[in-house]
Amino acid sequence: MRTVDLIQRKRNGEELSPEEIRWLVESYTRGEIPDYQMSAFLMAVYFQNMTDHEVGAMVDAMIDSGERIDLSSVSGPKVDKHSTGGVGDKTSLIAGPLAAAAGVKVPMLSGRALGHTGGTLDKLESIPGFRTNLSIEEFREVLDKVGFAVIGQSEKVAPADGKLYALRDATATVESPALIAASIMSKKLAVGLDGLVLDVKVGAGAFMKRQVEARRLAQMMVTIARRKDLRAQALITDMNQPLGRAIGNALEIMEVSQTLLGAGPEDLTQISLELAARMIFLGRITETLDEARDLATRLLVERMGYMKFKEMIAAQGGNPQVLDRFELLPNAPYSYEIVSPRSGYVAAIDAEEIGRASAMLGAGRNTKEDTVDPAVGVFLEVKVGARVEEGNVLCRIHYTNSEGLQEAIDRIEDAFRISTSEPEPRDLILEVVG
Ligand code: URA
């Protein structure tokens, strides 16, 4: 097989066979196909899409690029949760501990910042000492003992996703439903799960801008899961404005702590509770979804998720005190206030612009070799619907150096729309698939 022929056929809109897809994934993972050819292939997929057969073949090849994590020795139902990517989306770190506190085992295989969206692994790594590179044995031990453990894909687990994820991020090929589905499902199916809750984001700050695309992506992933006998449900949730108020790695850990203590922003709390409830229900801890919702709410009120998250941080080498003493987290030395140019209502806060600005300050990556700055980000003082007067602070930018600062300021100023009329409230949870 010649890579250039496969690129050409995909570029021309042809369907590739499972063997051809497998050969591409295996050869690229082994380093036998250079980045420039794989980039061209990804761009062809971006424009031409993939059939369900092709996506299925890609998922299988990506899982087989590494080891599968057998969790049969860990007792209890194993349920994971994954988001397709959002801005300020830290729900995994709230829903995961709550579900674990209810008795679900949550083996989470998470990702890093991608495009303008954040990544759970980067957020966790802002905690001093926290290790996301546990061996499979250590991962199993933390899961068994604590009920919640998070690692990333690695040389051993779904290595193809690691390489492709970084390449997509650097080649503007992230927003392809087929590539997103293959990336997520290859990680999730590499782990022996009983259930999976997917949060498919839609709107300005999501990779899927329209609900019909988000629905298609949700259906694709739920179908892939069901074919492998995995119970799966997908929520389609709004990502027009950032979720919660904090955007940026350490800032988001602080907001997770506040939310697990019951003092978090309303939107973040609502979505996290619903995701936790679905995890509890899929794990068959309760008989009905309503019982699962009641249980998740009670665990939040009783701070059981907060205790569980602390336990997990300690088990993965981090300092759990960061949840009480935010000065132990990386804090940016400088801040800059964006103020409202006029009086009125906050009609929109474009999540993609805020995510891009935050990435530009160092919270995300421009090239796949970049490291992230855990301290930087944006903190929203207002959310959509708030009444503001001219000169009121809309948000604070936390930065470490002035590189990229002016462009970030311009983007953030553009992201806010102030209008004379009060905007209609929007639903947060738009649809359930599966
Ligand atoms: N999350 C992933 O793991 N992969 C994607 O492509 C997008 C979100």
Side-chain angles (χ1 to χ4, degrees), residues 82-85 111 114 161 165 168 174 179-180 183-184 187 207:
H82 202 91
S83 158
T84 55
L114 189 62
D161 181 54
Y165 200 84
R168 286 166 58 211
V174 171
L179 296 177
I180 293 176
S183 162
I184 293 180
K187 286 193 282 278
F207 295 129

Side-chain angles (χ1 to χ4, degrees), residues 315-334:
Q316 293 203 208
N319 180 357
Q321 286 183 326
V322 296
L323 295 195
D324 308 308
R325 295 177 48 204
F326 294 163
E327 72 276 13
L328 297 175
L329 284 164
N331 279 271
Y334 310 110

Side-chain angles (χ1 to χ4, degrees), residues 403-415:
E403 199 186 320
L405 177 65
Q406 191 52 52
E407 199 179 336
I409 293 172
D410 294 345
R411 276 183 183 271
I412 294 172
E413 281 175 350
D414 281 353

Side-chain angles (χ1 to χ4, degrees), residues 247 336-339 341 348-361 377-380 394-398 404-418:
I247 302 101
Y336 180 95
E337 290 176 351
I338 303 274
V339 298
I349 308 174
D350 186 317
E352 177 163 356
E353 287 300 303
I354 302 278
R356 289 208 184 283
S358 172
M360 203 166 275
L361 294 167
V378 179
F379 190 86
L380 303 177
L394 298 176
C395 72
R396 290 192 165 78
I397 302 177
H398 296 269
L405 177 65
Q406 191 52 52
E407 199 179 336
I409 293 172
D410 294 345
R411 276 183 183 271
I412 294 172
E413 281 175 350
D414 281 353
F416 280 89
R417 199 151 55 73
I418 309 295

